Amino acid sequence: MSSTKAALKAAKAAIDAHQYSEAITQAKIVLASDSQNYHANVFLGLASDKRNEYDEAIGAYEAAIKAKKTDPLAYQGLLSLYEKQGSKNVSRYQHNAVCLAELYRDLDDKTRCQTVVDKLVLFARDHGTRAQYKDALGVMLPSSPVYDYLEGRVPHCSYTYKKVADILESEEKERINKEIGERRTRLGAKIDQVTLEVKQEILTHSVLESTYQEIISSSHEDEVRREYEEKLLRHAYDTLTVLPRDSKTSKLKEIQELARGMVILKHPFKLAWDLELEWKDTETMELWDSNELLEYIHFFPEDGLSKILRGFLGSELSPFPDILDLAGEEAKEVKTEDTPKQDRNMSAEDRLVLMADGIDESPKSMLANRLMAQYYLHLEEYESAVEICRKGKNLVIRERRKTGLELEKILDSLDTMLATSLIYYQSPKNHVEAMSIFKSILKRKPTYTAALIGVGLILEDQEDYAGAIDFLSRAIQRDENNITIKAELAWCRALGGELAPGLQALKTCLTEIDTNSPRGRDLKAQTHFRIGKCLWDLDSSHSARKDRKGAYAHFLSSLQANMNYAPAYTSLGIYYADYSKDKKRARKCFQKSFELSASEVVAAERLARAFAEQGDWDLVEIVAERVIDTRMLRPSPGSKKKGVSWPFAARGIVQLNKQDYAKSITAFQAALRLSPEDYHSWVGLGESYHNSGRYIAATKAFQQAETLSDSLGPNHEGEAWFAKYMLSNVSRELGDYEDAIEGYEQVLQLREGEFGVSIALMQTLVDGAWHSIETGFYGRAASWAKRVLEFAPPFAKRHPDAFNLWKAVGDASSVYSFIQRRLDEFPVQALKSLLAEDAAAVYEPMAEIDEIGVSSISNWDDKGDADLSASLTWCLHASILAQKRAVSVSKNDSHARAVAWYNLGWAEHRAHFCLVVDTEEASQKRSSRYLKAAIRCFKRAIELEAGNNEFWNALGLVTIHLNPQISQHSFIRSLHLNDKNARIWTNLGTLYLFQNDYQLANDAFARAQSTDPEYTQAWLGQGLLALLLGDSKEAQSLFTHAFEIADSLSLLTKRQYAISTFDHLISVGSTANIGNLIQPLFALYQLRAQTPDDLASRHLSALYLERIEDYVSAADNLAEIGEVVEQEYENSESAALLARFSAVKADTARSLLAAKDYDGAAEAAEMALQLSSEEAGDERGGLDRTAHEKCRLSAHLTAGLAYYFSGTMDKAIDMYRAALEESGGAPDIVCLLAQVLWAKGGERERGVAREQLLDCVENNPSHLPSRMLLGVIAAFDGDQEMLEGVRSDLQGSRTEKSLTAEEEQQIGQVLMATSVLSNVDDPDSAADRNAEELTEAKVSIMISPSQPYGWSQLADMTDESYPAQMAVKTAQRAVPPAGALKAEDLARAFAGSGKAADVQRAIMMAPSKVEGWRALASLIHS
């Protein structure tokens, strides 16, 4: 014990001497024996503290405190040590400081206790965190164990709470921002959702509200309490907005109590007042506390809601009419400047501006939007009301979601105002939405008056008057004194057919209306108008409606009550227009009505019709567009009300006049969606489609209009024909001329003598005639042209000055010049009477040049014995005279006159082409009176209209031979005006072609082809150029292409195509496929129909007929040609005609020979030889030497064959010998002569035949027919040596690639025949012959397996069916277009198959061949 005390003294002494190591040693000595020794631990802690060994010091102090808690020395040392460490151990410092303060409290040492607390707060403030400082401040709060002991010595708790609240606010704000910043960067995070989650987590666990409450409870200062009450309400509201919906109730109640308390105390905290006003869930404003509203205005005069309240309470809508007056008196007593009474006297415009400023400043206020919507609805500003109601609804829904309040009445009020506004806004577009809103309200509140009225108004607008009466009756039961509902109900009864009861009810309502208010005056005007309408409809007689004391008086009374009531102006306008016959007043009334309300559709329609009658389409468009912009034209779905389509139709008509067809189509389609049965809209739509080139759609539209024509009223029955007329126009544009003509004729039955339809019919007949010529229907073309000429005389009596009449007559007359075969149908008498009438001076133009005038008509003979040339002259002169009449009647129209001269020029040129070009006169000179007149006409046209490229082109054409320089200038001028015209380029190329400038011609033709690849004449010109350059193959290709794309009008195309094709057939020297001859033959047939006098073409046609084996027709054609040529020769004795006659006779003889008329053939051939004899050879004129030699050779051969087949062998031999001499020993003629000599049968003749053939083979070793004939003769003679030589030669020739299929077949037949005929007298060699015959058939198959003749031979020699089947298959594959096998060969293959079906096919394909009939007979007998 003594050692312990000594060690403690030594430690104390060492500390005093600042020997802290010694002190530690001594203290540890004591602790080694007594670890709980208080002083030793204190000394150890102190010494360690001095040595900066803080951990050992803390441990020692804590051990000392544990050993003796009632001694403050260890606490003091420990606190001193913590102070040295600064912020390291602030929390431990606070704990030990509180313990020390409690120790001093227990020791009743207030000074030291206060000192410890003060030092703790200062230390935590300076060195601790915000939270640690907040905890330190807690020592000075009532919850502290020393607060009661130190009360009065420490600051008041409210002061401390304020500091704590500040700290909590900062911490909360920082934590919220920190969490939001961290979480918003997560994948898929949304800022709104993150903010809500963070605030919900933090605010729901916040102690700020309790702190605020403590401040409010403990503070003695009113300002402090108000300040923290505001903070408490703000924080509570923020918390409420983030709480889950099921947790909002208690918080909501707390907030409402706080806000209500502030309002009661009249504390001007805006949030509290806003919540009190905004959350007041009432249906109407009557349930509000007017004093609260005034106080709000007083406290927050510059707030947006205050401005709206000022405007609303000062308006006639205010439920507290005297409140502003009372408030004004109170304001005067307190002498304020801006008194509320001023709001009461504010003008309507200023009030609206004030409230508009208010809504701009408070756009998120539910009450502001509600009041503004109600005021807009009162002003009938329905668009603005709808916009504000929708915003207000969104605000209410958002507030419900934020606060958990139901706000059902506010929402119903806004819904009611929204639906009511939608009734009138863009009516009836929004009726469906309005009805849906009303029904949703009535489903919850079946007696809700505003909804009942709204549904009734919608049904009234939809013309469902029974339903409207039902709902309005239910509404009037809820509000019996509502005069507006009474008037509306009475009007519905009147509209529903109960005119008398409705009228009486309206008169009753009229007496009850209060006219002191603007609304009352408006209602009075409306009621007067409705009474007038009832009177108007009750008695529809003219006298009753004209009575100024009846409906008219009420319409005027309506305007006296309200000068801006538009319907009354409309009714007055109708009165003035239909009954008073005062159009000027009527126009003014309609204009005034339309100015006041664009929804006055009747007034707008009357105005539009008036403007349309004046032709002022711009005003029509303005009226229509304004009505359309009201969006009141389309009925709502389910409505009985019909749509109004005329504004869209008017828009379509305006766009149609502007030629903006896309917009007019859209407009008429819109009109038809509203009125599908509107005849005029269908017609307008069809006309728009027609003008825009959409003819199929136009057809459908006009057809639909036709089906609706019966539904036209009595005032429009005369308009039904127009749809059929337009449908005929469309058919004409589509080229369906028959339907168009039929349609025009039906229209003329309804509208006899209608000028436009008659002209259209004639023009369509002319166009159809030209089209028929182009497509080859010449008979129909002549028929339609004749109908024009027969229709024209009666029409000309009514309209002799119609330009299109004479143009149509001229064109129709000209048609016959293109189909001259139909000239006998030309109605001479009709034209004579037509053109001779009133013909004093109308034919003077160009009469001095072309010599065609009135005198020309008198020379016409209408008897049927006139020849074609006379008829052609008459029709061309008629065309010229008609075009002269057109020139005469077009004096007042420069464009029509220019066109008339142009048409006359072409008529003159046509006469030149048809009457002069092929005559003797044309061979001597290139000009004529017709051509001179044509040139003069085209020049006149150019003088009138120099910018027309067609006029310049025409002038270039008619001067192409007379003056190439002018022609070139004209073409270039025309191209300058329109360089995309292929016709002009082609004409220019033709000019260069005539001038032998082939390069320029080729360039011009190429440019024409690139401009229009379908233009025939460009290809034809290039073909002619190729022909001139000697490239006949290219020319034939170009002519063929030109013919394929050409119409049936072009003569030259058909002629050149037929000629080039025939030349090609002659050049290749092989038998052409009959399919390749159909087109040129058809072209020549059309050419004959157009120009019957073209003998060259008819001759060529006969040659084509010969090649398709129509020998009879060929012979008949040639006989006709021969008669014409013979007649011409007798008249002129021309050498050329004689040469042509001899060629015709040679060709006739050949055709007669093929037709087996041997005597006729021999006679024709003898005549051809006589005409082409040497004596006449010097005069062959029209034939060159080669053609002359061919003609004579053909005649000799034809005569020889004719004599041969008629049995006159000697003459045949003589003819062949003559042919042989003239041909210079031609091998083919040698073969024919040998056959005839052999057929005569004498040894001498046969010997001569052998000699001739041997010489021919020797001189022409490659001539196959002579070798084959020699082999046959050797077989008949039994000359085995010669036969073997010939067979060997033929077998070697079978593999030559130059052989045709026909030649291969002939060689095979000869080899087969010679094998059969060889050793025919030796019976022992029969088996060898059969084997050899079979071998030859197999060899034929091996050499030509794709040809049927080898298989047919094999089938004949065997009983197997396979060869016959192969013969049929190969024959089917060898027919055109795959091969050149003839129908007879195919029939022969079918006949050999042995099947009944194939045999029938053989007979069908070649009924003139015996093989099919023999096979059929064999099948029948078997």
Side-chain angles (χ1 to χ4, degrees):
M1 187 66 180
S2 59
S3 60
T4 300
K5 290 183 178 181
L8 288 172
K9 290 181 179 180
K12 178 68 171 65
I15 289 172
D16 292 339
H18 303 289
Q19 297 177 358
Y20 302 117
S21 299
E22 180 62 23
I24 291 171
T25 301
Q26 295 300 323
K28 287 182 178 180
I29 293 173
V30 175
L31 291 173
S33 58
D34 183 5
S35 60
Q36 298 297 322
N37 190 285
Y38 176 78
H39 290 93
N41 280 306
V42 170
F43 292 155
L44 178 59
L46 180 60
S48 298
D49 181 14
K50 296 298 184 180
R51 288 174 55 86
N52 297 326
E53 297 174 357
Y54 300 127
D55 293 336
E56 289 81 356
I58 291 171
Y61 283 136
E62 288 178 348
I65 292 170
K66 186 176 181 181
K68 190 176 181 180
K69 294 183 179 181
T70 57
D71 194 315
L73 184 60
Y75 285 107
Q76 291 174 349
L78 187 58
L79 292 177
S80 177
L81 188 149
Y82 285 149
E83 289 175 357
K84 291 181 180 180
Q85 289 184 316
S87 59
K88 185 176 182 180
N89 285 305
V90 176
S91 298
R92 289 186 177 184
Y93 182 92
Q94 178 181 344
H95 172 71
N96 287 284
V98 172
C99 292
L100 180 59
E102 291 178 356
L103 180 59
Y104 284 136
R105 179 200 61 189
D106 295 339
L107 296 175
D108 194 22
D109 190 345
K110 290 185 177 182
T111 302
R112 290 185 177 180
C113 179
Q114 180 184 355
T115 302
V116 170
V117 171
D118 290 342
K119 290 178 65 175
L120 169 61
V121 173
L122 291 174
F123 183 76
R125 185 192 66 185
D126 295 338
H127 299 287
T129 61
R130 190 182 290 116
Q132 290 169 340
Y133 179 52
K134 179 190 66 178
D135 292 340
L137 289 173
V139 178
M140 294 190 292
L141 294 175
S143 59
S144 171
V146 297
Y147 179 78
D148 293 336
Y149 179 70
L150 295 176
E151 189 174 6
R153 301 180 69 95
V154 295
H156 191 271
C157 63
S158 63
Y159 175 77
T160 307
Y161 274 124
K162 287 167 63 176
K163 290 186 176 182
V164 171
D166 292 340
I167 295 171
L168 289 173
E169 288 172 357
S170 301
E171 285 183 342
E172 197 169 275
K173 184 177 181 180
E174 289 178 1
R175 184 180 173 193
I176 289 173
N177 293 336
K178 179 182 178 182
E179 290 295 327
I180 292 174
E182 290 177 354
R183 297 188 190 184
R184 67 182 297 181
T185 59
R186 296 175 183 174
L187 290 176
K190 296 181 180 179
I191 185 62
D192 295 339
Q193 186 65 27
V194 167
T195 302
L196 180 65
E197 292 175 355
V198 170
K199 286 187 176 182
Q200 186 176 345
E201 291 176 7
I202 296 175
L203 295 181
T204 52
H205 298 89
S206 174
V207 296
L208 256 178
E209 292 183 24
S210 59
T211 304
Y212 292 150
Q213 195 63 53
E214 291 293 343
I215 296 172
I216 295 168
S217 301
S218 60
S219 179
H220 300 297
E221 299 178 12
D222 290 340
E223 293 183 1
V224 173
R225 285 200 302 272
R226 298 293 175 264
E227 178 186 356
Y228 282 91
E229 283 175 354
E230 293 175 3
K231 290 188 175 184
L232 175 61
L233 179 59
R234 174 68 68 186
H235 193 277
Y237 180 74
D238 291 342
T239 305
L240 175 67
T241 58
V242 298
L243 285 175
R245 185 170 182 80
D246 53 358
S247 303
K248 291 179 182 289
T249 306
S250 58
K251 181 62 71 175
L252 179 62
K253 185 176 181 181
E254 175 188 342
I255 292 172
Q256 288 175 326
E257 291 177 354
L258 287 170
R260 184 59 185 165
M262 291 186 182
V263 171
I264 291 173
L265 294 175
K266 295 182 175 51
H267 176 55
F269 180 48
K270 190 173 185 304
L271 177 60
W273 286 86
D274 285 343
L275 296 180
E276 178 66 15
L277 296 181
E278 299 281 358
W279 287 1
K280 193 178 292 293
D281 192 13
T282 60
E283 292 181 357
T284 60
M285 291 288 292
E286 287 86 348
L287 303 177
W288 287 55
D289 185 350
S290 59
N291 292 322
E292 286 185 5
L293 299 177
L294 290 175
E295 289 166 356
Y296 186 91
I297 295 171
H298 174 70
F299 288 138
F300 316 107
E302 299 303 322
D303 183 66
L305 179 57
S306 294
K307 293 179 179 180
I308 290 178
L309 286 171
R310 286 171 57 192
F312 186 82
L313 294 175
S315 70
E316 56 269 30
L317 293 179
S318 173
F320 317 110
D322 301 327
I323 187 172
L324 291 181
D325 293 338
L326 296 174
E329 296 298 330
E330 294 175 0
K332 285 182 179 180
E333 293 177 4
V334 296
K335 298 182 179 180
T336 59
E337 293 182 359
D338 190 13
T339 64
K341 192 170 183 178
Q342 293 175 346
D343 298 334
R344 187 69 175 177
N345 299 325
M346 190 182 300
S347 65
E349 292 78 7
D350 293 339
R351 180 176 293 108
L352 183 59
V353 171
L354 178 66
M355 297 179 73
D357 290 341
I359 197 64
D360 290 339
E361 295 172 9
S362 300
K364 296 184 179 180
S365 170
M366 295 184 295
L367 180 58
N369 280 275
R370 180 180 177 184
L371 296 177
M372 197 69 201
Q374 188 173 351
Y375 193 67
Y376 275 137
L377 184 60
H378 167 71
L379 296 178
E380 298 183 358
E381 293 289 340
Y382 300 116
E383 182 177 3
S384 300
V386 168
E387 181 183 356
I388 294 297
C389 285
R390 293 192 192 280
K391 290 180 180 179
K393 278 189 65 176
N394 292 333
L395 291 173
V396 172
I397 293 170
R398 192 179 300 118
E399 194 68 16
R400 291 174 66 175
R401 189 164 48 248
K402 284 167 53 179
T403 64
L405 288 166
E406 291 299 329
L407 302 177
E408 181 179 295
K409 295 179 181 178
I410 297 177
L411 194 58
D412 286 346
S413 176
L414 285 168
D415 274 335
T416 302
M417 289 188 288
L418 172 60
T420 304
S421 302
L422 289 173
I423 294 175
Y424 304 102
Y425 175 55
Q426 295 182 353
S427 174
K429 174 185 175 182
N430 299 308
H431 281 185
V432 175
E433 182 183 357
M435 182 68 80
S436 174
I437 294 172
F438 283 135
K439 286 186 175 180
S440 66
I441 296 174
L442 290 174
K443 189 175 182 180
R444 293 181 284 104
K445 301 176 182 179
T447 60
Y448 195 70
T449 306
L452 291 172
I453 296 172
V455 173
L457 293 175
I458 293 175
L459 294 176
E460 177 188 339
D461 189 75
Q462 294 178 355
E463 299 183 0
D464 184 1
Y465 302 120
I469 291 170
D470 176 48
F471 277 93
L472 291 174
S473 298
R474 289 161 57 186
I476 203 65
Q477 291 174 4
R478 297 281 299 169
D479 190 359
E480 296 179 354
N481 297 322
N482 193 324
I483 190 63
T484 303
I485 303 176
K486 287 183 180 180
E488 207 65 46
L489 179 59
W491 179 238
C492 286
R493 293 187 189 279
L495 292 175
E498 303 177 20
L499 287 172
L503 175 60
Q504 188 59 41
L506 285 169
K507 289 182 177 179
T508 304
C509 292
L510 187 61
T511 61
E512 300 176 7
I513 296 174
D514 179 14
T515 58
N516 293 324
S517 64
R519 296 285 292 178
R521 290 190 291 272
D522 292 345
L523 182 58
K524 182 179 180 181
Q526 185 185 64
T527 307
H528 269 298
F529 165 75
R530 290 176 174 179
I531 291 173
K533 284 291 292 180
C534 290
L535 292 172
W536 188 273
D537 295 335
L538 269 173
D539 190 352
S540 59
S541 65
H542 187 275
S543 59
R545 289 187 172 180
K546 191 176 181 180
D547 185 7
R548 288 179 174 267
K549 296 181 180 180
Y552 174 79
H554 284 281
F555 295 148
L556 285 181
S557 298
S558 175
L559 292 179
Q560 289 171 359
N562 183 1
M563 290 297 295
N564 294 324
Y565 190 62
Y569 284 107
T570 301
S571 297
L572 281 175
I574 295 173
Y575 172 84
Y576 287 128
D578 298 345
Y579 297 95
S580 186
K581 304 302 179 182
D582 190 343
K583 293 186 177 181
K584 186 175 182 180
R585 284 189 176 182
R587 172 74 70 86
K588 289 181 179 180
C589 288
F590 290 138
Q591 286 180 340
K592 182 65 175 179
S593 175
F594 189 61
E595 288 172 4
L596 292 172
S597 175
S599 60
E600 284 299 306
V601 179
V602 175
E605 183 177 7
R606 296 271 188 149
L607 277 178
R609 290 186 183 277
F611 292 141
E613 291 173 0
Q614 297 174 358
D616 196 341
W617 296 109
D618 291 337
L619 289 178
V620 173
E621 182 178 20
I622 291 172
V623 172
E625 293 296 338
R626 189 177 172 198
V627 176
I628 291 170
D629 290 341
T630 63
R631 301 188 181 181
M632 297 179 64
L633 306 179
R634 302 178 188 275
S636 59
S639 173
K640 297 180 181 179
K641 187 176 181 180
K642 293 183 178 180
V644 180
S645 61
W646 71 261
F648 292 102
R651 175 197 277 176
I653 294 171
V654 171
Q655 300 302 330
L656 198 59
N657 281 299
K658 291 182 176 180
Q659 299 183 0
D660 193 344
Y661 303 120
K663 290 183 179 179
S664 68
I665 289 171
T666 303
F668 284 121
Q669 287 174 340
L672 289 170
R673 280 193 287 271
L674 291 173
S675 300
E677 306 298 320
D678 185 5
Y679 168 84
H680 297 93
S681 293
W682 281 110
V683 171
L685 179 62
E687 192 170 355
S688 300
Y689 281 136
H690 171 264
N691 293 339
S692 62
R694 298 169 63 178
Y695 299 121
I696 301 301
T699 301
K700 295 179 180 178
F702 288 129
Q703 287 174 345
Q704 180 65 24
E706 272 196 297
T707 61
L708 299 173
S709 59
D710 296 335
S711 63
L712 289 173
N715 296 330
H716 301 281
E717 287 181 353
E719 301 175 9
W721 62 273
F722 190 72
K724 186 176 292 294
Y725 167 69
M726 289 302 299
L727 183 59
S728 301
N729 287 342
V730 175
S731 299
R732 173 183 168 185
E733 295 290 347
L734 290 173
D736 192 354
Y737 297 104
E738 292 182 2
D739 288 347
I741 293 168
E742 181 182 359
Y744 290 133
E745 290 176 341
Q746 291 176 1
V747 173
L748 287 175
Q749 292 176 2
L750 299 173
R751 303 276 295 184
E752 185 177 356
E754 181 71 31
F755 177 80
V757 181
S758 300
I759 291 294
L761 174 60
M762 287 190 290
Q763 192 61 49
T764 304
L765 286 169
V766 171
D767 292 344
W770 288 121
H771 179 73
S772 298
I773 293 176
E774 292 172 357
T775 53
F777 295 97
Y778 302 129
R780 187 169 65 188
S783 173
W784 283 351
K786 186 176 181 180
R787 288 174 65 180
V788 174
L789 300 177
E790 292 174 347
F791 182 86
F795 181 80
K797 292 179 180 179
R798 297 190 302 271
H799 305 284
D801 296 332
F803 168 78
N804 287 325
L805 162 68
W806 300 110
K807 179 182 180 298
V809 170
D811 291 343
S813 300
S814 181
V815 164
Y816 286 95
S817 68
F818 289 88
I819 44 174
Q820 297 175 16
R821 198 171 188 177
R822 300 277 180 171
L823 282 169
D824 56 338
E825 301 176 15
F826 182 65
V828 179
Q829 183 60 34
L831 263 295
K832 190 173 182 179
S833 61
L834 173 64
L835 296 174
E837 187 174 352
D838 298 330
V842 293
Y843 301 135
E844 290 182 359
M846 300 297 152
E848 73 281 2
I849 300 176
D850 60 14
E851 301 175 2
I852 299 175
V854 181
S855 59
S856 302
I857 304 174
S858 60
N859 298 328
W860 295 359
D861 185 6
D862 59 344
K863 297 179 181 180
D865 57 352
D867 59 9
L868 292 181
S869 61
S871 297
L872 178 60
T873 302
W874 296 343
C875 79
L876 290 170
H877 284 188
S879 175
I880 293 173
L881 291 172
Q883 299 297 353
K884 287 185 177 182
R885 290 288 291 267
V887 172
S888 176
V889 299
S890 60
K891 294 179 179 178
N892 298 325
D893 188 342
S894 61
H895 174 70
R897 191 167 180 81
V899 173
W901 281 113
Y902 175 75
N903 294 335
L904 177 58
W906 280 124
E908 299 278 6
H909 182 266
R910 183 65 184 167
H912 168 76
F913 180 81
C914 294
L915 303 178
V916 178
V917 168
D918 292 331
T919 64
E920 190 69 25
E921 179 186 357
S923 62
Q924 299 174 3
K925 60 178 182 178
R926 293 184 175 183
S927 181
S928 70
R929 55 194 173 103
Y930 301 114
L931 190 60
K932 292 177 181 178
I935 295 173
R936 185 75 61 84
C937 290
F938 290 136
K939 287 182 177 180
R940 291 279 183 88
I942 292 172
E943 289 173 2
L944 292 170
E945 196 172 320
N948 193 314
N949 65 287
E950 295 293 342
F951 297 172
W952 286 102
N953 177 55
L955 181 60
L957 273 175
V958 296
T959 58
I960 201 168
H961 293 298
L962 298 177
N963 195 326
Q965 290 82 3
I966 292 179
S967 178
Q968 182 183 29
H969 170 76
S970 300
F971 287 140
I972 292 175
R973 179 64 179 172
S974 181
L975 287 171
H976 174 72
L977 296 171
N978 181 13
D979 63 348
K980 300 297 182 182
N981 193 320
R983 184 169 63 256
I984 304 172
W985 283 108
T986 303
N987 294 338
L988 181 61
T990 305
L991 171 65
Y992 292 142
L993 196 62
F994 281 126
Q995 300 303 315
N996 298 323
D997 194 335
Y998 298 149
Q999 181 60 47
L1000 286 178
N1002 182 68
D1003 294 343
F1005 290 138
R1007 180 65 180 272
Q1009 292 168 3
S1010 63
T1011 302
D1012 184 5
E1014 298 297 320
Y1015 187 60
T1016 305
Q1017 307 303 323
W1019 297 96
L1020 181 63
Q1022 205 159 38
L1024 292 171
L1025 180 61
L1027 199 61
L1028 290 173
L1029 294 174
D1031 192 348
S1032 58
K1033 184 176 181 180
E1034 177 67 13
Q1036 197 266 337
S1037 175
L1038 290 168
F1039 290 144
T1040 302
H1041 179 70
F1043 177 76
E1044 289 173 349
I1045 64 175
D1047 53 38
S1048 297
L1049 183 62
S1050 175
L1051 302 178
L1052 186 58
T1053 303
K1054 291 191 281 284
R1055 185 180 292 119
Q1056 289 302 129
Y1057 168 66
I1059 293 173
S1060 64
T1061 303
F1062 190 81
D1063 291 343
H1064 175 70
L1065 296 176
I1066 297 298
S1067 65
V1068 297
S1070 61
T1071 303
N1073 182 4
I1074 190 173
N1076 298 331
L1077 303 178
I1078 297 298
Q1079 279 191 322
L1081 188 60
F1082 181 70
L1084 290 170
Y1085 174 79
Q1086 288 186 331
L1087 200 59
R1088 181 178 180 183
Q1090 291 179 270
T1091 54
D1093 295 335
D1094 188 355
L1095 299 180
S1097 299
R1098 292 178 63 184
H1099 193 168
L1100 184 61
S1101 175
L1103 296 179
Y1104 273 106
L1105 288 171
E1106 181 184 3
R1107 276 159 179 74
I1108 65 171
E1109 301 179 5
D1110 188 358
Y1111 304 115
V1112 175
S1113 297
D1116 292 342
N1117 280 347
L1118 289 168
E1120 293 176 4
I1121 296 171
E1123 292 176 1
V1124 175
V1125 174
E1126 184 178 8
Q1127 182 65 36
E1128 292 181 355
Y1129 176 72
E1130 290 177 356
N1131 295 332
S1132 63
E1133 296 185 357
S1134 169
L1137 289 175
L1138 180 63
R1140 180 183 293 181
F1141 186 47
S1142 64
V1144 169
K1145 282 298 181 181
D1147 293 338
T1148 304
R1150 192 170 59 251
S1151 297
L1152 290 172
L1153 175 65
K1156 299 182 180 179
D1157 184 358
Y1158 304 125
D1159 293 338
E1163 180 182 354
E1166 290 284 3
M1167 182 177 289
L1169 290 171
Q1170 182 181 356
L1171 293 172
S1172 60
S1173 62
E1174 289 296 333
E1175 290 79 10
D1178 296 336
E1179 300 178 1
R1180 56 182 179 267
L1183 298 176
D1184 58 18
R1185 178 172 295 279
T1186 303
H1188 179 263
E1189 291 175 355
K1190 288 182 178 180
C1191 177
R1192 289 186 58 77
L1193 180 61
S1194 173
H1196 277 114
L1197 293 175
T1198 303
L1201 289 171
Y1203 287 133
Y1204 170 77
F1205 286 113
S1206 62
T1208 311
M1209 296 299 180
D1210 293 336
K1211 288 186 177 181
I1213 293 172
D1214 291 341
M1215 286 295 174
Y1216 283 131
R1217 284 175 176 169
L1220 191 62
E1221 290 176 3
E1222 292 193 12
S1223 65
D1228 288 330
I1229 298 177
V1230 171
C1231 291
L1232 287 174
L1233 178 59
Q1235 292 179 42
V1236 173
L1237 290 171
W1238 186 269
K1240 188 173 182 181
E1243 288 297 328
R1244 180 173 172 274
E1245 286 80 2
R1246 291 186 177 183
V1248 173
R1250 292 190 196 96
E1251 292 176 1
Q1252 290 286 344
L1253 285 174
L1254 288 171
D1255 292 340
C1256 181
V1257 171
E1258 182 179 356
N1259 296 326
N1260 302 282
S1262 61
H1263 190 246
L1264 184 62
S1266 60
R1267 288 183 288 165
M1268 291 190 293
L1269 184 59
L1270 186 61
V1272 173
I1273 290 176
F1276 279 118
D1277 288 343
D1279 189 345
Q1280 294 296 325
E1281 181 179 357
M1282 183 182 292
L1283 183 61
E1284 290 299 326
V1286 172
R1287 285 175 59 84
S1288 175
D1289 182 50
L1290 290 177
Q1291 287 173 348
S1293 300
R1294 299 183 74 174
T1295 58
E1296 293 179 3
K1297 294 182 179 181
S1298 60
L1299 293 179
T1300 63
E1302 185 177 0
E1303 290 174 339
E1304 290 179 0
Q1305 183 178 357
Q1306 290 174 353
I1307 292 174
Q1309 290 173 345
V1310 169
L1311 291 174
M1312 181 74 71
T1314 55
S1315 65
V1316 173
L1317 293 174
S1318 64
N1319 298 322
V1320 69
D1321 297 331
D1322 187 1
D1324 297 333
S1325 64
D1328 295 336
R1329 290 199 303 272
N1330 291 337
E1332 188 175 354
E1333 185 179 0
L1334 184 63
T1335 300
E1336 288 296 335
K1338 292 179 179 179
V1339 170
S1340 296
I1341 294 172
M1342 181 188 69
I1343 292 175
S1344 300
S1346 61
Q1347 297 298 323
Y1349 61 87
W1351 295 103
S1352 297
Q1353 290 174 347
L1354 184 62
D1356 294 338
M1357 288 182 286
T1358 63
D1359 295 331
E1360 297 180 6
S1361 60
Y1362 178 74
Q1365 295 175 4
M1366 286 301 299
V1368 171
K1369 290 183 179 179
T1370 53
Q1372 288 176 326
R1373 294 173 182 174
V1375 296
L1381 193 69
K1382 295 182 179 180
E1384 293 82 354
D1385 297 326
L1386 179 61
R1388 191 175 295 111
F1390 274 122
S1393 70
K1395 296 180 180 179
D1398 288 343
V1399 170
Q1400 291 174 348
R1401 292 189 181 96
I1403 294 173
M1404 181 191 70
M1405 290 180 183
S1408 61
K1409 299 299 179 182
V1410 298
E1411 288 86 349
W1413 297 105
R1414 287 176 179 173
L1416 181 62
S1418 177
L1419 287 173
I1420 292 173
H1421 292 306
S1422 62

